[in-house]
Amino acid sequence: MIRIETETANDLLAREALLDRAMGPHRRLKPSERLREGRLPAAGLALVARDGERLVGTVRLWNVSAGGVPALLLGPLATAPEVQGRGVGSGLMQVALNRAELAGHTAVILVGDPEFYVRFGFAGDLTNGLVMPGPVERRRFLAVDFARGVLSSANGPVIATGAPDRTLLRAAAA
């Protein structure tokens, strides 16, 4: 039975291995990664899926400013190849979006396949005024707003606003 839970510090190595396996070595080159580097995920919005004790899925949301509007950046979302097609990614998305909305967040942006994300309310027209920190395929730059119209005035760059990861800062200083 697959369970969705809040990520813990003990999940970090298994999460990184899963992301490498599911997304390949080029995952760290994506523009969204520039917004996540050296930051902590939004509070309560780092989730994992477990099959028994084995980590089989992950998703995180990150605090950003989307053209001056507080928002979340979703990603990466990944599932282990052996559970793909079993609803694990959809389950992670549902829980992540529900938690984000209940926590008072008003919008989520992402770069991903519209064929998957449209079922969760994501649309490309909500990001028309936004610019990612690097080239992205426009049709894959999507958003959902829980407070209808909150992104209508958003215009400009997407900028990381999340708390710095103090663990990384201490390691870099050592």
Side-chain angles (χ1 to χ4, degrees), residues 6 17 116 164-165:
T6 301
F116 178 79
D165 185 339

PDB file of all heavy atoms in Angstrom, residues 6 17 116 164-165:
ATOM      1  N   THR A   6       4.834  13.554   4.810  1.00  0.00           N
ATOM      2  CA  THR A   6       5.767  14.676   4.796  1.00  0.00           C
ATOM      3  C   THR A   6       7.188  14.138   4.748  1.00  0.00           C
ATOM      4  O   THR A   6       7.528  13.191   5.461  1.00  0.00           O
ATOM      5  CB  THR A   6       5.567  15.546   6.049  1.00  0.00           C
ATOM      6  OG1 THR A   6       4.212  16.016   6.068  1.00  0.00           O
ATOM      7  CG2 THR A   6       6.511  16.747   6.048  1.00  0.00           C
ATOM      8  N   ALA A  17      18.430   9.925  -5.072  1.00  0.00           N
ATOM      9  CA  ALA A  17      18.621   8.747  -5.921  1.00  0.00           C
ATOM     10  C   ALA A  17      17.401   8.528  -6.817  1.00  0.00           C
ATOM     11  O   ALA A  17      17.547   8.215  -8.007  1.00  0.00           O
ATOM     12  CB  ALA A  17      18.884   7.515  -5.061  1.00  0.00           C
ATOM     13  N   PHE A 116      -0.238  16.355 -18.544  1.00  0.00           N
ATOM     14  CA  PHE A 116      -0.401  15.805 -17.195  1.00  0.00           C
ATOM     15  C   PHE A 116      -1.041  16.821 -16.249  1.00  0.00           C
ATOM     16  O   PHE A 116      -1.959  16.497 -15.506  1.00  0.00           O
ATOM     17  CB  PHE A 116       0.960  15.355 -16.634  1.00  0.00           C
ATOM     18  CG  PHE A 116       0.888  14.816 -15.227  1.00  0.00           C
ATOM     19  CD1 PHE A 116       0.452  13.523 -14.987  1.00  0.00           C
ATOM     20  CD2 PHE A 116       1.259  15.607 -14.147  1.00  0.00           C
ATOM     21  CE1 PHE A 116       0.376  13.025 -13.692  1.00  0.00           C
ATOM     22  CE2 PHE A 116       1.188  15.114 -12.848  1.00  0.00           C
ATOM     23  CZ  PHE A 116       0.748  13.823 -12.621  1.00  0.00           C
ATOM     24  N   PRO A 164      16.777  30.446   3.131  1.00  0.00           N
ATOM     25  CA  PRO A 164      18.019  29.781   2.746  1.00  0.00           C
ATOM     26  C   PRO A 164      18.197  28.477   3.521  1.00  0.00           C
ATOM     27  O   PRO A 164      17.774  28.377   4.672  1.00  0.00           O
ATOM     28  CB  PRO A 164      19.116  30.777   3.105  1.00  0.00           C
ATOM     29  CG  PRO A 164      18.483  31.870   3.865  1.00  0.00           C
ATOM     30  CD  PRO A 164      17.004  31.722   3.793  1.00  0.00           C
ATOM     31  N   ASP A 165      18.818  27.507   2.896  1.00  0.00           N
ATOM     32  CA  ASP A 165      19.117  26.231   3.534  1.00  0.00           C
ATOM     33  C   ASP A 165      20.402  26.421   4.329  1.00  0.00           C
ATOM     34  O   ASP A 165      21.492  26.432   3.774  1.00  0.00           O
ATOM     35  CB  ASP A 165      19.274  25.136   2.477  1.00  0.00           C
ATOM     36  CG  ASP A 165      19.464  23.760   3.089  1.00  0.00           C
ATOM     37  OD1 ASP A 165      19.864  23.666   4.269  1.00  0.00           O
ATOM     38  OD2 ASP A 165      19.202  22.781   2.373  1.00  0.00           O
TER      39      ASP A 165
END
